[in-house]
Amino acid sequence: MTRATKWALAAGALALALLVALLPRTQDTPQDSGADLAQARERAGLAACRPGGGAPTSAPSAVAGADTADGVETYCLGDGTTPELGAVLGEGPTLVNVWATWCEPCRDELPLLDRYAAEPGAVRVVTVQVQSSPADGLRLLADLGVGLPTVHDGEGGRGPVREALRVPSALPASYLVSGGQARLVTEPRLFTSLDEVRTAVEDGR
């Protein structure tokens, strides 16, 4: 290879590197841009995370009789605010449902909980999305027609709300929270009818 050829190759490589450096780096753009998230929020139209009126309760403990987990911060899926968990739960009793977009039983249970929450005399229902992006959660709720107040507890395997409740790995998981105490609903583990939701709430009061 002649010296002239080597110089030509070096110059070409330098020009290519400069061109790549100046190109827009679209691959660095987050999958869920601010505009995408705003659009998803508008379409979902979720209820406010903070209940209207009333003082917030203490954040729930995982087991009845344990100290309450005060100061648990959440991320409100509907408006992007970060209220403490106690402020989201309100005065209670509150039915809390933990779900994920990949969970097929969750897709059946969420509309049922939405229907229950609209009934006269129903307790407040709050849902907790885990293990996927906020935009994915908003899109699923919009597709299902579910407008329940929802907090996002992170895309990984752990989050502050899950730690406070000691959520099991199998989803969905529902809790009845009252007086700063949280009880996992085990009968049934998965709601399949409105009667089951009503009975679980009454039994847990």
Side-chain angles (χ1 to χ4, degrees):
M1 183 181 295
T2 66
R3 179 174 295 182
T5 303
K6 290 180 180 179
W7 277 107
L9 289 174
L14 182 60
L16 180 60
L18 182 61
L19 179 62
V20 170
L22 293 175
L23 285 173
R25 300 193 177 190
T26 53
Q27 69 271 23
D28 293 335
T29 303
Q31 182 179 3
D32 298 328
S33 69
D36 289 340
L37 201 55
Q39 187 176 35
R41 281 193 176 119
E42 183 176 358
R43 180 169 174 253
L46 301 185
C49 286
R50 295 174 185 267
T57 65
S58 297
S61 58
V63 182
D67 293 333
T68 56
D70 292 324
V72 178
E73 189 175 271
T74 70
Y75 176 81
C76 182
L77 200 58
D79 60 16
T81 58
T82 54
E84 288 192 0
L85 183 56
V88 174
L89 297 178
E91 295 182 335
T94 304
L95 184 61
V96 179
N97 178 260
V98 185
W99 60 277
T101 57
W102 48 261
C103 166
E104 288 299 328
C106 300
R107 295 171 181 247
D108 296 328
E109 191 175 63
L110 284 166
L112 190 65
L113 293 172
D114 192 64
R115 287 167 54 199
Y116 163 76
E119 291 186 342
V123 303
R124 178 172 168 81
V125 180
V126 173
T127 82
V128 182
Q129 182 208 342
V130 302
Q131 297 182 4
S132 58
S133 73
D136 284 346
L138 286 164
R139 283 189 284 266
L140 177 61
L141 292 173
D143 289 344
L144 295 175
V146 172
L148 294 169
T150 301
V151 298
H152 185 264
D153 197 44
E155 300 182 31
R158 299 176 63 184
V161 177
R162 279 168 285 175
E163 289 181 3
L165 294 172
R166 297 181 193 171
V167 175
S169 57
L171 296 179
S174 293
Y175 293 81
L176 191 68
V177 181
S178 183
Q181 304 295 323
R183 182 183 66 82
L184 176 66
V185 178
T186 57
E187 294 294 335
R189 261 308 254 115
L190 174 69
F191 295 123
T192 59
S193 71
L194 288 172
D195 282 340
E196 288 179 345
V197 181
R198 297 185 196 109
T199 299
V201 170
E202 289 304 316
D203 289 347
R205 285 186 171 184

